[in-house]
Amino acid sequence: MKMLMRTTAMSMLALFHIPAAMGQTTAPDHVYASDLITRWGKTVTADNAWRSYPRPQLRRDRWANLNGNWQYAIRPETDPAPTMMDGTILVPFAVESKLSGVGRRVTPSDRLWYKRHFDVPADWRGQRIILHFGAVDYQSVVFVNGAIVGTHRGGSDPFSLDVTDYLKAGGNELTVQVADPTSADNQPRGKQLLKPNTIWYTAVTGIWQTVWLEPVPALHIEDVRMTPDIDQGELHVDVVLNHSASDSDAVRITALSHGKVVASTLLRANRRATLPIAGAHLWSPDDPFLYDLKVQLVKVADPVPATKDAIVSPHGARGRWMLNSTERDFYRDAVALGTPSDTVTGYFAMRKSSIGPGPVAGQPALLLNNKPLFQNGVLDQGWWPDGLLTPPSEDAMRFELGFLKKAGFNMLRKHIKVEPEQYYYEADRLGILIWQDMPAGFDDESLDQLAREQSQEEALMPISAMNEYEAELTRIINALRNHPSIVTWVVNNEGWGQYASTRLGKMVRNLDPSRIVDKASGWLDTGDEGSNIFDIHTYDDVLRVPANHAARAIAIGEYGGVGLPVAGHLWFPERQSWGYQGAADTADFAKRYTTKLDEIIRQARENGLGAAVYTQTTDVEGEVNGLLTYDREVAKIPADQLARIHAPLFQRRE
């Protein structure tokens, strides 16, 4: 969302004041936290904090959850590792959050230290032990039994380390050191600010997604990448092992529907497979059908027939059949020996996200499964009053997604934030389309609204900042690409750190040609190249209309922002709350919402508008422009009423 800084723009800004008793006082090193807490946060304990399997698209039977009570300490960056810790922190909640039990700030010159002990189950002996982090914001150094086992930079992507060689018999000590400059640097960080205000939120530091252990064989399946092709009735599957395989290593891939085998194939490891999915059951918001997938690593008898011309090249006969149809034929008919050494399970959907002809001649539409589908979305910040970046529980995120589905939204734009992977599974299961933003990275100049909103050129960025941004963007796409709910990658938001958007749009398209790319949502558009969508933001009372484009679909990537404070459900009960426009009460809120939605309906029918994203799902900290209050207790418009308002968007025109 854009922040209105010009005096001439203040007519669009609404400030609200709710008198209340003064809020809590805090120590200098503590962050502000109101008394607001969700119903799910009230039930969180060390024993139930995020217990679900953290990687639903690559599941193994054996794993160990390391969430729960850890020890923590905050020290100056020049200090050595602490010998005494400051207290207990509940992982996976960031140190600034209420649910962490700490609520302390971490400055750019601090280091946050974590420590806990863990045991490796006896029946894991002989396996490699992998330590997984769902996300740690921002720079991590991981120690096991005092030795450094690895480092990671990036606050929104998962990472894993093989800790086997650092383990000892009996108990083991895990230590993590975290540095997080937040807005003092160019790192990708989304809405976090060291001094939060209006549309910028409390900085988050440290572990904020599940930490877990997993045993795997020395040679194991490291990645499975799935790409559906509904036009050809095929599923492409890339199975990648953790290192090179021998000729006797093969993988068996099986697709299932309701437990019944749909297709299966055997091929050499580290190769692409193509499975025929006859009469595919297509995935859509109305019918979110998911197939199951099983991948097994097996040994095979030598699949290559004896040949008399073995010495024909430096590679022998092997050079004549590697990575071609002959190799596929050899392995397809090979005989598997013994039981699989590694098995992972997941799921996939047959669906297609593209643009093409729509109901308005000459204006491309957003297509799902080759048919125009208006994408009625909501801007979703993904912040919580008690967990900040981390939802208080799996049930909490299910409630929110369920509300949006019942309200007639078939899409959400996950706004410059990445969620735990379980979130995307719930969207896959419910049938909610997702536009996934890259978390923004920007310096102080990028926050200058007057300079950036009216700019006609993109900023230049240091190579170091570009490397950080592009590396994390690539890793996020690779981590989430199997989720069918994600239909669009959004590379930049409103010029916040926007640079080389055309090059980045092309890069994203090359990484994942199966999805739509929106290279710049709002503000500075840099042309058709590298993007499938022309996307404007309009917080005007009367919504602006995006110009028609012959080569791109058109969308309103943000609109609305009607503010309505609800007493008793405010983050800042004693301060002014913030919204783009103000409503007097719930009736006025509903009237304003309906008026804006009527204009969206008109633009969809007359101009070929393909998508619209209303700001926003919930209030967040000082913002009160949500459809729900920040604690998710009050719906300013009930879900069934929203569904009735939205219904004309999906009615067929004769």
Side-chain angles (χ1 to χ4, degrees), residues 23 25 57 84 115 149 154-155 175 245 350 381 392 438-439 477 484 529 568 585 590 620:
T25 58
Q57 285 282 26
M84 296 288 292
K115 185 178 291 185
V149 298
T175 305
M350 296 298 290
Q381 310 283 359
M438 170 64 186
I477 290 172
E529 269 194 288
D585 50 32
V620 184

Side-chain angles (χ1 to χ4, degrees), residues 456-458 498 500-503 519-520 523-531 534 552:
Q456 297 179 345
E457 296 179 1
E458 294 181 309
Q498 181 176 332
S501 61
T502 295
R503 177 177 65 79
K519 69 179 178 182
W523 294 11
L524 180 61
D525 180 63
T526 58
D528 293 343
E529 269 194 288
S531 193
F534 174 68
R552 287 185 280 173

